[in-house]
Amino acid sequence: MAFSQGTAITYYIFLVLFVSTGHVAGGCYKAIVSFGDSLTDTGNLIRMSKSSNAYVMSAVLPYGETFFHHPTGRYSDGRLIIDFMALSMGLPFVEPYFGGKTTGDRSFAKGVNFAVAGATAMDISFFTERGITNRCTNASLGTELEWFKQMMSSFCDTPSRCKQYLGSSIVLMGEIGGNDYNYAFLQGYPKEKIVSFVPKIIAIIASAVNELIEHGAQTIIVPGNFPIGCSASYLTHFMTANTSEYDPKTGCLNWLNDFSEYHNRLLQNELDRLREQYPDTTIIYADYYNAAMRLYNSPSKYGFKNTVVACCGGGGPYNYDGLVDCGSASSTVCDNPSSYISWDGSHLTEAAYKWIADGLLKGPYTTPQINGECIFRSPKTKLSDS
Ligand SMILES: *[C@@H]1O[C@H](CO)[C@@H](O)[C@H](O)[C@H]1NC(C)=O
Ligand SMILES: *[C@@H]1O[C@H](CO)[C@@H](O)[C@H](O)[C@H]1NC(C)=O
C-alpha cells in the first residue's frame, strides 16, 4: 500500500495536534466497555453465583494468588489482558456489571464489564439442541448485550449522553466464541460439524459490533481466538502417538491451531467488511493468536520455562485432568506461576497475559496499531490493502 504524501502530511499534522492539545495526558478514553468470557471476566460469574449457589472454579485459591492474593473471579493467578489495558490507559480495573448497588449509582463512568466466564457467542439453545452442555453459565453474548442495553437506559438517561459515553469509551468485544468451540470439541462433537459453527459465530460477533456502533461506539477492539492447539485441555483430550500431528518446536497440535487460524481469518474478513460499512469507526483486530504464539515460540526470551504444561491442575502429562479442577483438593499448583504460560490448562498466567497485553498495546499485534494508551485512527485507506 502506497500511502500518498498528502495523506502522510495530514496524518503528521493530526499527530502533532493530537499530542500538543494535551489529549494524551488526559487519557484518550474515558472508559472501557467490555464483553466476553473467562479471558475477560473480572468478577461477573462469581457474583452471579452468589444468588444461585452455582459452582465457580475460580472462586478459590490459588486463583488470584499472585496479584490480588485472594480469588476475584478472574481465571488466572493474577491480572488479565483487560486489566493491563486499563492500567496502560490510565483507567481503573474494569468494574463488573454484576454485584453491589443498583446500576445507576455505580462507578461505571470509567468502565463496565459484561464478560461472563463460560459465556458463548451463540445462545444456550444452540448447544442444548445439539446435546452440548455448558455447565458454567447460561449467559451468552446475547445476554451480555441485553445487560448492556439495561445499563445504558439507567446509567446515561438521554440518548445523546449514552452516545457520548460510548463514543469516548474503548469497546472490547471479546474474546468471545472460544467456549463455543471448547464445549463442542471437549465433549466429543464431530470436528466437521464444529467447522460449520465458525461462520455462525463470526456473524454473531459482527452483529454485536454492528449494534454497538449503532449505539455510538467509535473505537472497538475485536480479539481473535487463542491457539487452542497449545492449550493443555486440548492437548490432553486429543493426545496422539502420531508425532507428526505436533509442531516440533512448540509441542502444540497443528490441526487445532489451524482451526483457530480459520476462525481468525473469517473474523478479519468480516471486520474488513464492517470497516467499509462504517468508515468513521475505528475497528481494531487484536491478534491474540500470534501474540500468544510469540511466547510458545521463544519461551525463554519471555522468562518462561514451561509452555504447554499447566501450573495448576490434576496431573498427567500436561498437568490437566478434566475431572480435577485447579483449586480442588487433589490438584497441585506450581511454585512459580510466572515461569509458566498456562495457568490451569484452559487459561493463562498473569505473566503470559502481561506479555500478550504488551504485544497488543506496544505492537505489533493489533490492526490498526495501538500506540501506548491511544489508538491512532488509521488513515482513510483500506486496511486490507496493506
Ligand atoms: C440454565 O438454565 C436452565 C433452565 O432454565 C436451568 O435449569 C439451569 O440451572 C441453568 N444453569 C445455570 C448454570 O444457570
Ligand atoms: C499422522 O499425522 C499426519 C499429519 O496429520 C497424517 O498425515 C498421517 O496420516 C498420520 N499418520 C497416521 C499413521 O495416522
Side-chain angles (χ1 to χ4, degrees):
M1 176 197 79
F3 112 66
S4 73
Q5 203 182 14
T7 314
I9 291 169
T10 315
Y11 193 50
Y12 174 74
I13 291 170
F14 169 74
L15 291 181
V16 170
L17 287 176
F18 198 63
V19 172
S20 62
T21 52
H23 196 41
V24 173
C28 288
Y29 304 100
K30 294 211 175 87
I32 297 177
V33 176
S34 62
F35 300 84
D37 56 26
S38 56
L39 298 187
T40 312
D41 186 352
T42 52
N44 282 313
L45 185 68
I46 198 173
R47 293 177 195 201
M48 289 160 76
S49 75
K50 295 218 162 105
S51 51
S52 65
N53 281 320
Y55 167 73
V56 177
M57 190 171 155
S58 70
V60 295
L61 282 167
Y63 285 91
E65 67 171 11
T66 301
F67 183 80
F68 300 99
H69 309 300
H70 63 91
T72 62
R74 285 171 177 79
Y75 279 74
S76 184
D77 58 313
R79 291 162 290 182
L80 310 178
I81 296 170
I82 186 176
D83 296 315
F84 291 111
M85 279 186 178
L87 275 173
S88 86
M89 291 174 179
L91 294 169
F93 290 143
V94 186
E95 186 77 13
Y97 176 64
F98 270 87
K101 302 165 229 160
T102 54
T103 54
D105 51 14
R106 289 194 42 221
S107 50
F108 295 148
K110 293 192 171 174
V112 56
N113 190 355
F114 299 98
V116 180
T120 49
M122 306 299 285
D123 285 347
I124 189 80
S125 60
F126 179 85
F127 301 97
T128 48
E129 281 162 14
R130 288 165 175 78
I132 300 167
T133 52
N134 180 349
R135 290 183 191 88
C136 205
T137 178
N138 288 340
S140 64
L141 182 54
T143 321
E144 295 179 22
L145 285 170
E146 283 308 312
W147 295 336
F148 162 76
K149 281 179 267 186
Q150 278 170 23
M151 176 245 162
M152 291 293 268
S153 66
S154 61
F155 174 71
C156 46
D157 34 21
T158 68
S160 75
R161 278 174 61 179
C162 288
K163 265 201 144 73
Q164 203 177 14
Y165 172 74
L166 209 54
S168 58
S169 299
I170 281 269
V171 174
L172 182 60
M173 179 47 69
E175 173 280 334
I176 188 78
N179 285 326
D180 301 55
Y181 307 129
N182 295 343
Y183 300 144
F185 273 121
L186 301 174
Q187 290 171 34
Y189 204 71
K191 186 202 165 188
E192 309 71 53
K193 291 193 178 167
I194 303 175
V195 170
S196 76
F197 292 1
V198 180
K200 298 184 175 79
I201 288 167
I202 301 300
I204 287 280
I205 297 171
S207 122
V209 169
N210 208 92
E211 193 166 341
L212 285 153
I213 294 172
E214 295 296 334
H215 275 92
Q218 284 174 15
T219 313
I220 305 187
I221 301 180
V222 188
N225 244 359
F226 271 135
I228 57 174
C230 302
S231 169
S233 57
Y234 281 88
L235 283 161
T236 303
H237 188 90
F238 292 103
M239 206 182 301
T240 169
N242 183 350
T243 51
S244 53
E245 289 198 22
Y246 295 92
D247 174 353
K249 189 168 183 200
T250 60
C252 303
L253 279 165
N254 291 323
W255 69 273
L256 285 163
N257 278 357
D258 291 346
F259 180 87
S260 295
E261 291 200 277
Y262 172 61
H263 167 96
N264 291 344
R265 214 160 39 240
L266 292 201
L267 178 61
Q268 289 174 83
N269 292 344
E270 193 56 27
L271 297 184
D272 276 341
R273 201 191 57 73
L274 284 164
R275 286 176 186 125
E276 282 185 12
Q277 191 182 344
Y278 297 104
D280 297 327
T281 308
T282 304
I283 300 174
I284 296 144
Y285 174 65
D287 187 355
Y288 280 20
Y289 182 95
N290 285 301
M293 282 316 293
R294 175 165 79 159
L295 310 183
Y296 293 106
N297 280 317
S298 322
S300 57
K301 191 172 162 193
Y302 301 96
F304 296 111
K305 294 193 178 73
N306 301 277
T307 55
V308 292
V309 176
C311 164
C312 183
Y318 298 99
N319 194 25
Y320 180 84
D321 180 337
L323 301 174
V324 182
D325 289 342
C326 167
S328 69
S330 42
S331 70
T332 59
V333 61
C334 66
D335 289 336
N336 187 5
S338 70
S339 69
Y340 283 73
I341 297 176
S342 177
W343 167 242
D344 62 7
S346 312
H347 307 94
L348 307 187
T349 57
E350 169 177 288
Y353 284 143
K354 187 173 195 298
W355 281 117
I356 290 166
D358 220 57
L360 302 172
L361 294 159
K362 296 183 186 148
Y365 299 109
T366 57
T367 319
Q369 186 66 61
I370 303 181
N371 195 319
E373 67 180 51
C374 296
I375 291 156
F376 293 132
R377 291 178 78 81
S378 53
K380 289 257 167 69
T381 45
K382 243 181 92 203
L383 288 157
S384 50
D385 289 348
S386 57

